[in-house]
Amino acid sequence: MRRIGVLAIVLAVCTACGAGPSERPDVAVVEQGGDPAPTSDGPPAIASLQAPVRDLVWKDCKAATLDRLELGPGPGGLSLECSSFVAPVDATSTAAGSLEVGVLRARLPQTPTDAAPLVLTSGSDLASSSTLAALATGPISALLATRPIVAVDRRGIGTSTAIDCVPTPDRRVLADLGEFGPADIPDASKVAAASRAATIACTDDLAPDALAFDTAHAADDLEQLRRIWQVDSLGLLGSGNGAAVALAYAARHPAQVGRLVLDSPAATTADASTAAEYRVQGAQAAVAAFSRRCAALSCSLGPDPAAAITDLHGRAAAGELAPVSSNALLTAVSAFLGSPRGDQSSRVRELSDILAAAGRGDKAPLLDLIGATEAAVGSDGQFVARCSDGQQWPGPGQAGELAQAWSQRYPLFGSDAAIALMSCSAWPTMAPPPLPSKIPAPTLVLSGVADPIVGDGGLSTVTGTLAAAGTVWSSVSWEGSGHPVTTHSDCAQQALIRYIDAGTLPPNGGACPA
């Protein structure tokens, strides 16, 4: 296995990490496992990325994008431009039809006009265009100043051609886990029935292409963009589920990967239950981090915000907050804490006030948050993509057993997360996402210790995949809370910039302060 240095000093990862001075002492981090590569065996020389030879036709969409996502104006002179391209439904078949893939490009006035773009995908977690808009309008914009960033929305998600296939009643059951009132609790059998109805409706609506919305086909869309641009390779930044898309691209087109950044990647080899448990662990950690910040600010949730959220969840589960279900509440909380918006620290009071108002009986702000969350992370396109990507979905009996076990292990999120596994239980069995056998380009891996979207429990499967592919890789952890790392940590962005510009990886096992 070829790796970058075994011993790293935290502040060697970056100079002037974070938005301000950190009082955290220097920490030595030792990478465990495996033998270090010989010191003479350095990373291979890699070519510079190329600017597009033939570009897409772009049009300004800044106002519409920022209004839709309720984001601030961002840095002065920020440019957000939209475009799209036509991709074959199945790149391996000449008889296949085509579909439209939406893209968003972000630049600053100082962004070099001849710089090669960095391609961003956040997969099915959130529309890639939404992730980019949050990054572009956030307080950390060093990366955007060095080159344009182009976000490619996954099929059926964001600005790509929308999918509308799940019957409204079934969509509501999937969002609420069958919980409607004080006499009811999350019910695996109800969710399984809704999964069957939604699966039948979507596979009929998308026939004969219902199975063309998985990670592998999303990777094919990236290759279509490369061919349109007429460049030799792509610089890829994949966050969360988008890291799986980036790895699938590397599996199919290893020679066309110029740079590869996996930011907060989901586990590469995990069944649906294991992946869900990683997410629950990350969500619990994110709530704990939020509670500490909230209490330090004397926020409206009181001296123990985590206990206040747990109480609110119990009341929702008992039907006392109807029509707010316990799962809709938790989905909104985890999505808020996992938002790519870089101003999250300043939004602690915002979430606190929303939840405190619901506790007092004013549910309107919480219902607004739930509505925005479902629009962002609960579209029909995301249902199809997530079900296509998951492996070994459990049946009702196993989900019920997990709900009992996880309710003890993870009191806030465990039970609902286990029942939610039934949402895709009826989807046709799909091949696992492809994994690369060789990646010539070195790879940068970023991870967060309190990630409510994917967690960090599967990180070892990702680095194991890279090691098996024989690539040079380096990992950097961020001590903060949120998702993905790139939108929240200036330290991580600086490491990313050096890697994208020159192919230089930071010391392996380093860390960026919160």
Side-chain angles (χ1 to χ4, degrees):
M1 179 177 70
R2 304 172 66 198
R3 301 182 301 138
I4 300 297
V6 173
L7 180 65
I9 303 300
V10 165
L11 294 188
V13 176
C14 66
T15 304
C17 291
S22 173
E23 298 178 356
R24 185 184 305 275
D26 294 1
V27 179
V29 180
V30 178
E31 177 71 18
Q32 301 293 333
D35 296 323
T39 55
S40 61
D41 186 16
I46 55 176
S48 298
L49 297 174
Q50 302 167 288
V53 174
R54 179 173 64 118
D55 208 348
L56 302 171
V57 177
W58 299 95
K59 64 178 180 179
D60 175 74
C61 61
K62 177 179 176 180
T65 300
L66 298 184
D67 288 348
R68 174 173 56 85
L69 299 175
E70 299 183 350
L71 294 170
L78 172 66
S79 169
L80 294 178
E81 300 165 291
C82 292
S83 188
S84 64
F85 61 90
V86 175
V89 172
D90 186 350
T92 64
S93 172
T94 56
S98 61
L99 44 74
E100 190 170 8
V101 178
V103 290
L104 177 72
R105 181 172 68 181
R107 297 182 293 179
L108 294 174
Q110 64 268 39
T111 305
T113 57
D114 59 348
L118 179 64
V119 177
L120 166 68
T121 171
S122 46
S124 61
D125 296 324
L126 186 71
S128 304
S129 54
S130 298
T131 299
L132 176 56
L135 185 155
T137 55
I140 305 173
S141 56
L143 174 61
L144 190 57
T146 65
R147 63 186 62 250
I149 303 178
V150 174
V152 180
D153 280 335
R154 190 160 163 171
R155 299 179 175 195
I157 298 173
T159 60
S160 294
T161 302
I163 295 175
D164 183 8
C165 60
V166 179
T168 299
D170 300 301
R171 186 183 296 117
R172 193 70 259 153
V173 172
L174 296 176
D176 293 330
L177 303 184
E179 177 187 337
F180 296 105
D184 235 334
I185 58 173
D187 188 321
S189 62
K190 287 185 179 180
V191 179
S195 175
R196 287 192 294 273
T199 296
I200 291 170
C202 288
T203 51
D204 285 350
D205 185 72
L206 297 173
D209 305 316
L211 304 186
F213 292 84
D214 60 348
T215 294
H217 287 84
D220 289 339
D221 294 341
L222 299 182
E223 174 63 6
Q224 178 70 3
L225 177 61
R226 186 194 68 82
R227 293 182 178 183
I228 292 172
W229 277 349
Q230 298 178 7
V231 296
D232 294 333
S233 63
L234 296 177
L236 297 175
L237 169 58
S239 66
N241 172 260
V245 176
L247 284 171
Y249 183 83
R252 295 195 170 196
H253 309 281
Q256 279 66 57
V257 178
R259 304 288 191 279
L260 181 59
V261 182
L262 307 178
D263 185 343
S264 312
T268 56
T269 53
D271 59 30
S273 300
T274 302
E277 187 169 11
Y278 292 151
R279 289 193 297 272
V280 169
Q281 292 168 349
Q284 294 274 166
V287 167
F290 165 80
S291 180
R292 291 190 294 270
R293 290 196 298 266
C294 197
L297 294 171
S298 300
C299 66
S300 52
L301 282 174
D304 191 348
I309 294 174
T310 299
D311 177 70
L312 201 62
H313 171 254
R315 292 172 59 188
E320 297 175 14
L321 299 182
V324 176
S325 68
S326 63
N327 189 64
L329 168 67
L330 294 180
T331 300
V333 168
S334 60
F336 189 101
L337 298 179
S339 166
R341 287 180 57 166
D343 61 343
Q344 262 190 309
S345 295
S346 64
R347 298 173 70 212
V348 170
R349 292 189 187 277
E350 180 182 347
L351 180 58
S352 172
D353 291 346
I354 290 172
L355 299 177
R360 296 191 304 268
D362 180 7
K363 295 175 284 188
L366 178 55
L367 288 169
D368 288 343
L369 177 61
I370 289 172
T373 299
E374 291 179 352
V377 304
S379 71
D380 291 3
Q382 285 159 318
F383 166 77
V384 172
R386 290 167 183 161
C387 292
S388 297
D389 287 349
Q391 297 294 307
Q392 301 175 40
W393 298 99
Q398 185 183 357
E401 292 173 359
L402 287 173
Q404 291 185 9
W406 287 2
S407 65
Q408 301 298 316
R409 199 176 306 159
Y410 314 110
L412 184 56
F413 288 92
S415 179
D416 291 83
I419 300 301
L421 286 167
M422 294 305 303
S423 298
C424 292
S425 58
W427 195 260
T429 300
M430 303 276 291
L435 295 175
S437 58
K438 180 181 180 181
I439 308 177
T443 301
L444 175 61
V445 183
L446 306 174
S447 64
V449 299
D451 184 333
I453 305 303
V454 300
D456 68 347
L459 183 61
S460 62
T461 70
V462 176
T463 56
T465 295
L466 297 176
T471 187
V472 176
W473 59 270
S474 180
S475 66
V476 175
S477 66
W478 173 53
E479 301 298 322
S481 171
H483 177 96
V485 175
T486 302
T487 64
H488 297 293
S489 171
D490 182 64
C491 168
Q493 277 202 24
Q494 294 298 332
L496 194 157
I497 289 168
R498 286 192 292 273
Y499 164 64
I500 296 295
D501 286 349
T504 303
L505 290 171
N508 188 34
C512 288

